[in-house]
Amino acid sequence: MVSGSVMSVYSGDFGNLEVKGNIQFAIDYVDSLKELHVFVAQCKDLAAADIKKQRSDPYVKTYLLPDKGKMGKKKTLVAKKTLNPVYNEILRYKIDRQILKTQKLNLSVWHRDTFKRNSFLGEVELDLETWDWDNKQNKQLKWYPLKRKTAPVAFEAENRGEMKLALQYVPEPMPGKKLPTTGEVHIWVKECLDLPLLRGSHLNSFVKCTILPDTSRKSRQKTRAVGKTTNPVFNHTMVYDGFRPEDLTEACVELTVWDHYKLSNQFLGGLRIGFGTGKSYGTEVDWMDSTSEEVALWEKMVNSPNTWIEATLPLRMLLIAKISK
């Protein structure tokens, strides 16, 4: 493996349990605290993870999308041995009302087994752009049917700008060595063009790189931040070693562009460069979702070792993989 630690990037397993049942919750924005409150009341008629005993150990998890990583996930406690769990918990997010308009709230229900593995039981997504926070009805508890996992939208309509970059695969970094060496992938982040302005005229952007499926700190590298421009020039080269030829079909270069502001980073857009097969080392993964242009760049790199292959690719919305500490 590229640097030794493999992990399930979305911890959990989609798709082997049916999705059924409903969840009851309410949301409210508390102006005095600048907080979104998600009141998770209960679920009923969930699918049974333990078919024999007809029960699950369910909990509810929430995210604000698209910036899954930034606000973090919030979770209820795990309810034991039931298909009709009662939670009555409030999950809180500190967030400006203005920013809330750009978010979707995702609530998903999961079964956690004794080995701490998670199985997906269904989800609900609310688009907060059009949500009327002043409507009293909207503060009431409501029942929502749980839905299957929605496939992430491959192309968002809005323009997130582009990245100009070059990749190079070096199969033998030290030719002439008796011992077989593993190869390297070099990533030259040149510049970004037409990045979106999320807050007025300020932009202080940087690029982060991870080689999936490895999300450990060792796999993460980033450029410096470049301020005051929507066309930042980075000219930063990152080198990743430990690539055997067979790793090239299983790994994926995730490049994400962020706006650094005060103490937080906001996601602007990203690329996932790989073969886009939907699988990695035999496991189905949702990050192996390269577009045809991203696949074309990776193919050219693999087929022309020791040569810089340049491309300018459109940045897109990504569901960001979870980071393992």
Side-chain angles (χ1 to χ4, degrees):
M1 195 26 242
V2 179
S3 85
S5 84
V6 179
M7 59 159 285
S8 74
V9 171
Y10 281 89
S11 55
D13 129 29
F14 297 107
N16 52 3
L17 291 173
E18 63 173 327
V19 168
K20 62 196 271 281
N22 300 277
I23 181 169
Q24 188 191 41
F25 68 93
I27 62 174
D28 191 14
Y29 188 76
V30 184
D31 276 307
S32 57
L33 300 170
K34 287 202 164 41
E35 279 183 358
L36 166 68
H37 286 190
V38 182
F39 181 74
V40 181
Q42 58 182 331
C43 301
K44 68 170 190 221
D45 304 327
L46 294 176
D50 183 333
I51 309 291
K52 261 218 293 278
K53 295 186 175 148
Q54 275 300 298
R55 63 192 194 192
S56 295
D57 292 347
Y59 68 96
V60 178
K61 182 163 73 172
T62 60
Y63 282 114
L64 286 175
L65 302 173
D67 260 352
K68 198 159 163 172
K70 183 178 161 204
M71 297 286 169
K73 62 179 173 202
K74 313 279 177 187
K75 294 195 278 213
T76 65
L77 297 169
V78 177
K80 295 287 189 200
K81 302 178 182 166
T82 175
L83 302 179
N84 302 297
V86 176
Y87 299 103
N88 291 333
E89 287 184 54
I90 295 178
L91 306 176
R92 299 176 166 85
Y93 288 90
K94 259 229 177 307
I95 183 168
D96 274 348
R97 199 192 257 251
Q98 278 313 98
I99 295 175
L100 212 49
K101 284 200 175 75
T102 66
Q103 307 287 306
K104 286 188 171 71
L105 174 67
N106 178 284
L107 285 95
S108 50
V109 186
W110 298 78
H111 159 73
R112 165 158 288 198
D113 72 12
T114 39
F115 304 108
K116 297 222 172 6
R117 284 184 311 223
N118 305 311
S119 304
F120 178 73
L121 297 175
E123 70 171 16
V124 175
E125 213 158 85
L126 287 189
D127 194 338
L128 301 180
E129 187 184 359
T130 51
W131 191 264
D132 180 0
W133 297 101
D134 301 320
N135 181 343
K136 288 281 188 289
Q137 290 300 141
N138 275 349
K139 299 186 197 313
Q140 306 300 314
L141 282 170
K142 277 201 198 80
W143 285 101
Y144 296 82
L146 289 165
K147 299 195 160 90
R148 304 177 69 75
K149 192 87 202 133
T150 49
V153 183
F155 284 105
E156 295 274 303
E158 84 264 44
N159 183 13
R160 291 176 175 268
E162 299 176 309
M163 185 187 296
K164 188 172 178 182
L165 75 162
L167 298 185
Q168 177 173 212
Y169 172 51
V170 182
E172 291 183 62
M174 298 193 280
K177 276 269 161 83
K178 291 276 192 298
L179 293 169
T181 54
T182 53
E184 293 175 348
V185 170
H186 297 209
I187 301 155
W188 178 4
V189 177
K190 297 187 175 186
E191 59 186 314
C192 289
L193 310 158
D194 297 325
L195 291 178
L197 282 170
L198 296 186
R199 37 180 191 95
S201 56
H202 303 285
L203 194 58
N204 186 27
S205 59
F206 67 96
V207 179
K208 219 173 0 185
C209 183
T210 304
I211 306 288
L212 300 171
D214 181 12
T215 56
S216 66
R217 289 198 181 279
K218 206 171 130 192
S219 157
R220 283 181 272 165
Q221 298 189 36
K222 61 181 187 189
T223 68
R224 69 190 195 292
V226 174
K228 299 191 171 62
T229 173
T230 52
N231 300 299
V233 175
F234 297 106
N235 263 328
H236 182 108
T237 305
M238 308 177 190
V239 174
Y240 286 91
D241 55 15
F243 273 92
R244 303 166 309 196
E246 60 267 33
D247 291 322
L248 293 170
T249 53
E250 312 296 339
C252 172
V253 174
E254 182 177 84
L255 288 162
T256 50
V257 187
W258 301 80
D259 178 20
H260 178 68
Y261 179 59
K262 291 184 177 164
L263 295 173
S264 68
N265 297 320
Q266 188 147 15
F267 176 72
L268 297 176
L271 304 172
R272 287 212 183 106
I273 303 163
F275 281 123
T277 55
K279 282 201 177 71
S280 171
Y281 298 102
T283 305
E284 288 197 13
V285 290
D286 18 20
W287 46 260
M288 221 15 151
D289 63 351
S290 303
T291 63
S292 53
E293 290 171 277
E294 291 165 347
V295 172
L297 171 59
W298 192 248
E299 275 178 352
K300 273 191 204 142
M301 178 202 79
V302 170
N303 294 331
S304 338
N306 304 310
T307 314
W308 283 109
I309 308 294
E310 191 183 293
T312 301
L313 298 174
L315 296 166
R316 58 190 177 98
M317 185 63 237
L318 299 177
L319 286 173
I320 301 292
K322 151 168 154 279
I323 297 302
S324 66
K325 289 291 178 281

